[in-house]
Amino acid sequence: MTTTTSEHSGPATEAPPFRYTPALANAIELAWQDRWEQAGTFEAPNPVGDLSSFGDGVDDGAADGAAAAAAAAVPGESFYVMDMFPYPSGKGLHVGHPLGYIATDVTGRFERMRGKNVLHALGYDAFGLPAEQYAVQTGQHPAITTDQNIAVMRRQLRRLGLAHDPRRSFATTDPEFVRWTQWIFLQIFSSWFDPDATAPDGSRGAARPVSELVGRLAAGEVALPAAFEGRTWADLTPREREDVLADHRLAFVADVPVNWCPGLGTVLANEEVTADGRSERGNFPVFKRNLRQWVMRITSYADRLVADLDPLDWPEKVKAMQRNWIGRSEGAHVHFSVATAAGERDLTVFTTRPDTLFGATYMVVAPEHPLVEELLASEEPWGADVPASWRGAAASGADTPAAAVRAYVAAASAKTLQERQADAGAKTGVFTGGYAVNPVNGERLPIFVADYVLMGYGTGAIMAVPAHDERDHAFATAYGLPIREVVSGSPSGVQESAWTGDGVAVASANDEVSLNGLAVAEAKHAIVTWLERTGQGAGTTTYRLRDWLFSRQRYWGEPFPVVYDADGRVVPIPEDMLPVALPEVADFSPRTFDVDDAASSPESPLSRATDWVNVELDLGEGLQTYRRDTNTMPNWAGSCWYYLRYLDPFDADAPVDPALERYWMGPQPGGARGETGGVDLYVGGVEHAVLHLLYSRFWHKVLFDLGHVSSREPFHKLFNQGYVQAYAYTDARGVYVPADEVEEVAAGAAGADAHEGPTFTWRGEPVTREYGKMGKSLKNMVTPDDMYAAYGADTFRVYEMSMGPLDQSRAWETRAVVGAQRFLQRLWRNVVSEDSGLVTVVDDAPDVATARLVARTIADVTTEYAAMRPNTAIAKLITLNNHLTSLPQVPRAAAEALVLMVAPVAPHIAEELWSRLGHESSLAHEAFPVADPALLVEETVTCVVQVAGKVRDRLEVAPSISDAELEAAALATPGVQRVLAGATPRTVIVRAPRLVNVVP
RNA sequence: GCCCCGGUAGCCCAACUGGCAGAGGCAGUCGGCUCAAACCCGACCCAGUAAGGGUUCGAAUCCCUUCCGGGGCACCA
């Protein structure tokens, strides 16, 4: 293409006719975007299958590198680069949104020029709340809204010139995609976690088909649960069998304590509830309720999810957040026996400090603990020796433990999670009237109910060791309970405050075991050994991670591919009947409630589609009436596996052809993708550190265990890009004013406060500056469309990439964009005459200085691009460009190298210049320049001569100079001579060829 | 409260395993082009690295303390 234009950048200007103006930039960009699309330039060939060649008939541009590459074998080296895919919100993009997309595009284009087969595509995460809420308001089906939003977003992003393979784009709402999401769900449903199985990577404990478990149950190798004692597998009804299997399935329906959010009308996963007990979306109160819901047994994988973080090339911060969330902690279960009205009961506690067992002085159970009711059965009055403070709040006026505890439990359950956490620190509780026997010394310990112990962690019961646990210490102090030191080391005494540090065990012995004198770690080991030998406990590991609540009471999500028979037994839908599509409904909204109505229950919009819910099917048991599941999957389902579908978007037989998964994602021990395999580069915001990234790792490991994928992790390298933020301004009333109309008054200028920084005015009135998100409500939004119109996409790309390190957040500054534009204008001028439009480069060889600078730039820019530092790469390109500007004539060799190196960040202008330089095909597959090593070696280097660390002189020396020669030369310099003034140096440090330091 | 990351010219940011504090951009100043201005071209100006202490021949870089900013976790037994 050769774009000729006489358009000017503005009406009143007389710019030269071939200047690189925004108008010219736009013309070039649109033309190249069309050409790329028509030629299929960025279509990445698969090694096998329907995408192994380029779009049939569409591609006549055989001259393009992509087509040439496809004709030959697929490159052996693949590079799979991905963005966390967008939710098409319809609100419109601002200049911050494309940051990550540009970054992956730059890296992808660079790697493509390095000869790799680069796969880069973008799909849409299209199920979810905004489209549903819009549907609720307007009655328009969310599918229509979603399609419209996707179309708008596609157009906006296309204008950026992203090198995506358009054939591989999809939305999670596409029926074919939903089909495979449901298929994977059924794979998980049909699997159980066999703790004794070995995974393909050698780890212990792996997913296996449930059919294997059925075989073992039928053969009696695995015992039935206690409820079915005396019966055999063959005796059980189908419903009973399913109940047995549900205890093992990786996806199962169960009555579980869930986070119920009346304001949203749905239940939420733990990860979707904020630390202060509110919904992440909408910020509504959340209550704990027991409800029948789908759950995924992610906790089975807790160990592997922790262990496999190590080999991943991820930011340490994200790894730490995942480790923290999983919260693995090693300790012991210890059995205490409790006498109740109904007889002896076991109270098992979890502790990370079994070495402090001898220091236990009381017990605490969570208000929801099942033992509570048993303890209260007796209804006996308080014993005479029970202090008043143990009897609960005076207001309750309870004269029996049962009444006091019930009042306390009721009060605790009425609290929202938020209230419960707000009260943390103030320890409250009530004595239950019961006692537990400490297995190490037979002491009777009073059992309290207190809400500082959580039912959701460990066993929901603890042994309290006030001397060595701060929480127990606070409670013991408040309730007058004894504090007994069993680990030495407290500086101020344990009566004063708990000692949780290291020390030596004291007062910790019975007839069979003594911990006295042992350090903490040894003492733990000794007591666990004793507990295990005597059957009173065992070493164990627990996790903070909870199983994943997987159902939502919403319309716009994937339906569950199961039905229930007349007995309420879950029956999976056969694979050939997938996908299960959503029914048409009149009302898309779940029933929502008053945000504080804890007693309400969820009611899904699907439950009203009775024709759909009640269905006659033949599922191999004859025609029967079944009931469908009226929940839908959470928004995370599609994003748990979408990265596999880009590889093989049209596969009708599997979510992905295993051969393609191996080629694009397979492990490369010692190579780029390491032993884990996975996507080569995954870029997105840190906000997904635990949610999406943990869930998809879990699904991936199940697919790995079942043999569907060869990689054991989905994402080998993860990169978190920063955010683009912006200044906003408020006037005296606190109302936002348009940021682009605010004027800055320099510090020290007339009228400015000399001591403060710069001040700001809007229409002459002072305004206050604040910093934060970009958005319409703050009147500081700048859109990509604004940038295309004012500068063109290339300038916008260069500016975004040059603002600073990719992983840092940065402030948008529109007035600084002109720097990027000047760079590209100068680049243009170095190749093309602004007056005639003709190419001005000459074929003469570059002078030595230019050749060296070109070589140096190639070497540096290659390093910077490869390390994802486009900001420093651009700085070096600008340096070379400025050097070429200073030459009377630009040599072709230098210009071509520069154009190729600019291509990843500013692809349109680079293609245009490349074309004008006489090349017929796109530079997208052109080899990235390689520096001539001979030119990288400096002829002379500057050696710094220091005396006592201060620079006193400089020498121009050969890089190969020896230490001795250099030392002699340095000592002879006038600078050294002057400072030393005849004295003999004590030491001379020589770091040839760069530095000599003389120590006088 | 605990943990992590950061603080370098007016602003955004560079500086390889410790070795000349400056690559690049914005803003500013001066000059060229111009009737003039903008654009453009050329040149210039600009910090001793948040503060203090330590290690070292030598510290922006390593260690300690403090301050400031950003983020994560927070009754997890």
Side-chain angles (χ1 to χ4, degrees), chain A residues 44 55 96 104 170 174 198 228 253 318 388 394 560 598 624 810 816 818 822 955 966 997:
Chain A
T104 47
F170 52 78
D174 295 346
T198 304
F228 299 110
V253 182
V318 176
F560 283 86
Q624 290 192 29
R810 70 284 312 275
V818 68
R822 285 180 191 148
L955 289 167
L966 190 59
N997 188 13

Side-chain angles (χ1 to χ4, degrees), chain A residues 782-951:
Chain A
V782 183
T783 68
D785 294 329
D786 298 337
M787 289 298 107
Y788 302 148
Y791 298 99
D794 279 335
T795 295
F796 175 51
R797 290 170 59 116
V798 169
Y799 173 64
E800 287 236 337
M801 290 297 99
S802 63
M803 287 168 84
L806 270 182
D807 53 357
Q808 259 175 47
S809 291
R810 70 284 312 275
W812 179 265
E813 196 181 1
T814 297
R815 71 175 180 181
V817 178
V818 68
Q821 187 188 27
R822 285 180 191 148
F823 165 52
L824 295 183
Q825 266 177 351
R826 238 173 296 193
L827 172 68
W828 180 263
R829 211 161 34 230
N830 274 332
V831 178
V832 175
S833 161
E834 289 189 332
D835 297 318
S836 68
L838 299 174
V839 172
T840 56
V841 300
V842 295
D843 288 332
D844 305 351
D847 61 84
V848 177
T850 301
R852 281 186 186 283
L853 181 60
V854 169
R856 185 78 260 152
T857 305
I858 291 170
D860 290 349
V861 167
T862 302
T863 308
E864 300 306 293
Y865 274 146
M868 288 187 75
R869 290 190 294 258
N871 54 324
T872 46
I874 290 168
K876 289 169 198 307
L877 292 172
I878 290 173
T879 307
L880 175 59
N881 194 43
N882 289 348
H883 172 78
L884 297 186
T885 303
S886 72
L887 300 178
Q889 291 187 303
V890 176
R892 170 176 288 271
E896 293 200 339
L898 179 57
V899 165
L900 289 173
M901 288 190 285
V902 164
V905 279
H908 311 89
I909 188 176
E911 289 273 24
E912 181 68 17
L913 292 174
W914 188 245
S915 160
R916 285 173 179 255
L917 283 163
H919 301 278
E920 285 182 6
S921 58
S922 163
L923 52 58
H925 293 260
E926 205 63 42
F928 200 83
V930 177
D932 178 353
L935 291 171
L936 290 176
V937 182
E938 304 284 339
E939 274 180 318
T940 63
V941 297
T942 305
C943 175
V944 179
V945 183
Q946 301 176 332
V947 178
K950 289 197 169 61
V951 181

Side-chain angles (χ1 to χ4, degrees), chain A residues 126 196 299 328 424 584 586 605 617 724-725 756 802 807 825 873 902 927:
Chain A
D196 299 319
T299 50
R328 186 192 146 97
E584 295 296 326
L617 295 168
V724 174
Q725 300 192 297
E756 300 295 323
S802 63
D807 53 357
Q825 266 177 351
V902 164

Side-chain angles (χ1 to χ4, degrees), chain A residues 362 387-393 408 426-431 448-450 452 471-482:
Chain A
Y362 65 105
S389 66
W390 293 17
R391 302 185 181 193
Y408 182 79
K427 301 284 181 290
T428 60
V430 180
F431 177 49
F448 286 75
V449 170
Y452 82 91
R471 298 152 301 184
D472 297 345
H473 194 278
F475 190 87
T477 306
Y479 288 82
L481 290 154

Side-chain angles (χ1 to χ4, degrees), chain A residues 760-775:
Chain A
F760 303 90
T761 59
W762 181 65
R763 296 187 181 167
E765 295 298 315
V767 290
T768 309
R769 186 170 82 164
E770 52 186 67
Y771 181 58
K773 287 183 175 165
M774 187 177 277

Side-chain angles (χ1 to χ4, degrees), chain A residues 467-666:
Chain A
H468 304 291
D469 182 282
E470 284 160 16
R471 298 152 301 184
D472 297 345
H473 194 278
F475 190 87
T477 306
Y479 288 82
L481 290 154
I483 298 168
R484 186 189 306 158
E485 180 176 47
V486 289
V487 179
S488 68
S490 172
S492 54
V494 296
Q495 301 304 325
E496 197 62 34
S497 62
W499 172 244
T500 57
D502 270 335
V504 167
V506 295
S508 299
N510 59 27
D511 295 343
E512 299 176 18
V513 65
S514 170
L515 309 180
N516 293 337
L518 298 180
V520 170
E522 299 162 350
K524 281 182 183 175
H525 182 74
I527 194 71
V528 167
T529 304
W530 180 81
L531 287 167
E532 288 178 350
R533 185 165 52 77
T534 58
Q536 307 194 82
T540 188
T541 303
T542 59
Y543 302 90
R544 198 184 91 107
L545 180 69
R546 306 261 58 88
D547 277 332
W548 176 19
L549 182 81
F550 195 69
S551 37
R552 300 291 183 278
Q553 289 71 49
R554 307 228 70 95
Y555 176 76
W556 195 227
E558 298 89 345
F560 283 86
V562 299
V563 290
Y564 300 88
D565 72 3
D567 294 335
R569 177 179 57 109
V570 184
V571 183
I573 298 285
E575 283 178 26
D576 59 9
M577 291 173 68
L578 300 181
V580 175
L582 285 166
E584 295 296 326
V585 296
D587 178 7
F588 300 106
S589 53
R591 186 155 165 222
T592 56
F593 301 87
D594 184 89
V595 298
D596 292 317
D597 185 359
S600 52
S601 284
E603 192 181 301
S604 140
L606 294 186
S607 63
R608 293 192 289 264
T610 47
D611 290 351
W612 179 82
V613 171
N614 299 304
V615 61
E616 288 213 330
L617 295 168
D618 185 348
L619 301 178
E621 303 163 322
L623 201 61
Q624 290 192 29
T625 302
Y626 294 97
R627 192 169 42 82
R628 292 192 190 272
D629 195 306
T630 59
N631 297 296
T632 52
M633 297 187 199
N635 204 194
W636 311 105
S639 60
C640 269
W641 77 281
Y642 73 112
Y643 54 92
L644 293 174
R645 198 61 178 171
Y646 287 138
L647 306 179
D648 199 10
F650 303 112
D651 197 326
D653 303 320
V656 59
D657 181 337
L660 296 180
E661 189 273 337
R662 272 199 303 280
Y663 174 73
W664 291 109
M665 293 176 65

